[in-house]
Amino acid sequence: MDDQMYSKKLLTTLLLTLLMVLAACGGNDQNDEAAGGEEEPEDLTNNDAEDTLVVGLDDDPPLLDPHLSTAQVESQIFKAVYETLINVDENLDPIPGLAKDWDVSEDGLTYTFYLQEGVTFHDGADFNAEAVKYNFERILDEDLGSPNASDLRLIEEMSVEDEYTFVVELEEPFAPFLSGLSHRAGQMVSPEAAEDESIDLSNEPVGTGPFQFVDRTAQSHLEFERHDDYWGDQPDYQYLEYHAFSNEDTRITNLVSGDLDIVNRVAHKDLEQLEENPEINMSEEDGIGFQGLMLNTDREPFDNQKVRQAMNYAVDRDAITEVVFHNGAVPAVSPFAPSSWANNPGLEVPDREVEKAQELLEESGVEDLSFTLTVSPSPAEQQLSEMLKSMLDDVGFEVEIEQVEFGAILDRMYEGDYDVARLGWSGRIDPDGNAYSWFHTGETYNFTGSSNEQLDELLMDARTTIDQGERQEMYHQAAEILWDEAPYIFLYHENDYKPMKDNVQGFNHIPDGLIRPADLTLE
């Protein structure tokens, strides 16, 4: 490293350290208010505190209809009220859910599901093969516009063999089929409720789960109570509440004070104090998702590949994971976490290269490098966005930071109304779920407008190939194309932390990051 490069690196390090100190001091009153919470703990429980589990969420869930859902915070709610055909264990292997067993033909085209008997929805409707058929048809209905349709799109034919036997014929083998049925595509809503125009499933969920919906106060909390006719083991407690705190400091304050029993996300700066608190238990698991910057390739300057590539080299991923996440995350260069069999070990995390980024910008011929970076209003996101602004300004970009509530960011994604957005993905148990819908031309979450013929072919072949070794090679190639095309700037893979009060027992930390409330007990 020559003296000039050393001086630049030293200057960058000093600047990042200053940003860390400023971020630790907290935002102004206006920002704290926008983040959505008071600093003082409050009595949150609306029910008998000794018979109520209270969960703290990092945001207010926008949609409670699983067939329209796209946010992980919504999936936290779904684990209470909805159930999937397939469940997964701690190794992410499929286990029975509403389907107690299944057969797969040798050619991988026919799936026969044998359903649990005696299951009813919260409204009293029966769960059976006809209900499964209705749910699949609803997801595939183009008028509904379900973002989860790609998990079922290769279905050629569905048939009800008898009341509790459901058969699916696929057009071609589909490796991640069971994986998709362990998530939103396999979550069953009541057909009667879905057809009732007086019921809005986006705000009044009706499933077969262990808890049934009672009430919702937007931007505040949701109330559930135990479903007395639940077909499985009854939960240990009568009431369940979810409270939304986009302000991570407020969320943790309420956990430490005892008003929350468990939270779904924790700021990495708080990990040490929580781990040292004798009244808090901390569970940690490797994450399976990815986080980074979504670039709108339909807008200038990000319609230029060299501009996008320059961003890849302008950011210091190691500094981000150290300063913002206190090494509770690892640098990322693809949608596949290091723990995934699809991860490409040959695609190494690059050092920050200011001169290379500037050369790429010069080669692009683009003069106007100004854009708006849209982030959600939390201290960690504020700290991260300020670091990114400093790094990108340093190579020639002009960055304006805009704070927007998480639900509004999602709305903008669907409308294509953004320049760059700080948005990530919680991850799926099959790598197809981290790639196909995000980067295949025209697919559900392809908000970037990414379109590459070779990438499309690889992602389609990978989902219709059964051999994992062949699929692995395809994902390795796909990761290299994504790095070169750079429609999305992968920054980090976040580890998953779940802090809870020491009287909360039974938590099984599955890498999908979801809290399964019916498994928990209160001692």
Side-chain angles (χ1 to χ4, degrees):
M1 180 183 298
D2 61 31
D3 291 341
Q4 183 181 17
M5 291 183 66
Y6 179 83
S7 297
K8 288 183 177 180
K9 189 171 185 65
L10 178 61
L11 179 61
T12 300
T13 302
L14 290 173
L15 179 58
L16 294 178
T17 303
L18 176 61
L19 286 170
M20 178 175 65
V21 173
L22 291 174
C25 294
N28 57 33
D29 291 340
Q30 182 178 1
N31 287 336
D32 285 343
E33 181 179 353
E38 305 88 306
E39 291 305 318
E40 293 298 323
E42 56 179 312
D43 184 9
L44 301 177
T45 307
N46 296 304
N47 296 295
D48 178 4
E50 294 184 357
D51 205 19
T52 304
L53 181 78
V54 187
V55 181
L57 300 177
D58 61 314
D59 236 309
D60 191 50
L63 293 169
L64 300 183
D65 183 337
H67 301 165
L68 295 175
S69 168
T70 59
Q72 196 213 30
V73 69
E74 296 160 344
S75 292
Q76 297 290 354
I77 304 293
F78 297 158
K79 280 302 174 186
V81 68
Y82 291 114
E83 292 179 293
T84 50
L85 287 179
I86 307 293
N87 286 328
V88 294
D89 61 17
E90 56 270 17
N91 298 315
L92 299 180
D93 293 325
I95 59 175
L98 286 174
K100 62 184 179 182
D101 200 2
W102 56 88
D103 293 325
V104 184
S105 62
E106 289 187 9
D107 60 8
L109 295 178
T110 304
Y111 286 73
T112 303
F113 297 97
Y114 307 99
L115 308 178
Q116 302 282 2
E117 301 180 18
V119 179
T120 59
F121 290 96
H122 299 152
D123 59 2
D126 291 329
F127 168 76
N128 49 34
E130 288 288 354
V132 177
K133 186 172 184 289
Y134 174 87
N135 273 264
F136 279 16
E137 289 174 341
R138 182 174 188 258
I139 293 171
L140 290 168
D141 187 349
E142 292 183 0
D143 290 338
L144 181 69
S146 173
N148 307 298
S150 68
D151 288 329
L152 305 179
R153 195 163 290 148
L154 290 180
I155 292 178
E156 185 173 54
E157 186 177 348
M158 296 178 276
S159 60
V160 174
E161 294 296 292
D162 58 45
E163 187 173 7
Y164 296 108
T165 307
F166 181 68
V167 179
V168 171
E169 300 283 348
L170 301 180
E171 295 177 7
E172 51 188 321
F174 185 40
F177 187 50
L178 292 180
S179 166
L181 299 185
S182 71
H183 212 260
R184 298 184 183 102
Q187 285 174 327
M188 300 289 106
V189 307
S190 165
E192 292 186 10
E195 291 297 312
D196 189 337
E197 295 183 358
S198 68
I199 296 177
D200 177 14
L201 287 179
S202 292
N203 288 292
E204 305 168 68
V206 183
T208 63
F211 293 93
Q212 61 187 25
F213 176 76
V214 174
D215 190 32
R216 175 178 191 176
T217 301
Q219 300 298 327
S220 176
H221 68 277
L222 297 100
E223 295 181 57
F224 295 83
E225 65 180 354
R226 188 165 57 200
H227 177 39
D228 290 336
D229 293 327
Y230 181 57
W231 63 278
D233 294 335
Q234 283 287 346
D236 180 59
Y237 47 91
Q238 180 72 25
Y239 303 104
L240 171 64
E241 295 183 9
Y242 292 91
H243 290 255
F245 297 94
S246 58
N247 186 310
E248 57 206 20
D249 293 332
T250 307
R251 191 162 65 249
I252 296 306
T253 297
N254 279 279
L255 174 69
V256 172
S257 72
D259 286 311
L260 294 174
D261 294 307
I262 184 171
V263 302
N264 74 317
R265 287 179 67 86
V266 58
H268 293 77
K269 66 180 178 61
D270 296 323
L271 289 177
E272 185 175 354
Q273 78 165 55
L274 290 173
E275 289 171 343
E276 293 176 352
N277 189 324
E279 297 181 352
I280 300 293
N281 289 331
M282 178 74 75
S283 181
E284 177 186 357
E285 183 63 64
D286 290 341
I288 58 175
F290 60 85
Q291 298 290 331
L293 301 176
M294 184 170 294
L295 312 184
N296 189 340
T297 65
D298 292 326
R299 282 190 181 180
E300 297 179 350
F302 302 110
D303 56 348
N304 188 298
Q305 183 181 5
K306 289 188 180 296
V307 172
R308 303 194 301 269
Q309 290 174 333
M311 292 188 73
N312 258 333
Y313 291 100
V315 296
D316 188 336
R317 293 166 172 81
D318 289 322
I320 288 171
T321 56
E322 180 179 352
V323 174
V324 180
F325 300 102
H326 301 260
N327 296 317
V330 295
V333 289
S334 86
F336 312 119
S339 59
S340 170
W341 55 262
N343 179 57
N344 185 344
L347 196 59
E348 297 181 356
V349 176
D351 292 331
R352 184 181 188 230
E353 298 186 45
V354 172
E355 291 183 1
K356 184 175 181 64
Q358 291 172 332
E359 288 173 4
L360 285 165
L361 291 177
E362 186 174 347
E363 291 172 9
S364 74
V366 176
E367 295 182 359
D368 185 359
L369 294 170
S370 60
F371 69 90
T372 299
L373 171 60
T374 303
V375 302
S376 58
S378 76
E381 287 295 309
Q382 180 182 353
Q383 183 182 16
L384 175 59
S385 61
E386 291 293 346
M387 287 185 69
L388 290 168
K389 174 179 170 59
S390 174
M391 294 172 183
L392 295 172
D393 284 351
D394 197 32
V395 302
F397 289 98
E398 297 179 18
V399 184
E400 179 181 347
I401 298 172
E402 176 189 32
Q403 292 188 354
V404 177
E405 292 294 338
F406 177 66
I409 292 179
L410 290 181
D411 290 340
R412 291 191 183 186
M413 295 299 98
Y414 281 105
E415 295 168 2
D417 183 21
Y418 76 101
D419 295 332
V420 177
R422 234 303 295 140
L423 195 68
W425 184 239
S426 59
R428 294 291 175 270
I429 62 177
D430 188 282
D432 174 82
N434 279 24
Y436 185 84
S437 292
W438 282 86
F439 304 111
H440 188 285
T441 301
E443 279 301 327
T444 308
Y445 304 129
N446 190 352
F447 305 123
T448 67
S450 170
S451 183
N452 179 286
E453 186 175 343
Q454 184 184 2
L455 179 62
D456 287 350
E457 184 176 344
L458 282 168
L459 294 179
M460 177 56 76
D461 288 347
R463 66 179 357 210
T464 56
T465 299
I466 301 300
D467 184 89
Q468 183 169 304
E470 294 179 15
R471 297 184 72 206
Q472 182 183 57
E473 178 57 33
M474 294 172 188
Y475 287 126
H476 286 183
Q477 295 179 48
E480 292 171 1
I481 293 173
L482 282 170
W483 172 262
D484 186 58
E485 286 286 322
Y488 186 97
I489 306 302
F490 297 98
L491 294 178
Y492 59 95
H493 302 289
E494 191 173 6
N495 295 341
D496 187 55
Y497 296 90
K498 291 290 187 289
M500 64 203 78
K501 295 194 313 192
D502 60 0
N503 69 315
V504 176
Q505 302 295 316
F507 180 73
N508 184 19
H509 205 154
I510 294 176
D512 61 11
L514 300 179
I515 297 169
R516 291 158 168 81
D519 294 343
L520 303 180
T521 61
L522 297 174
E523 293 188 357

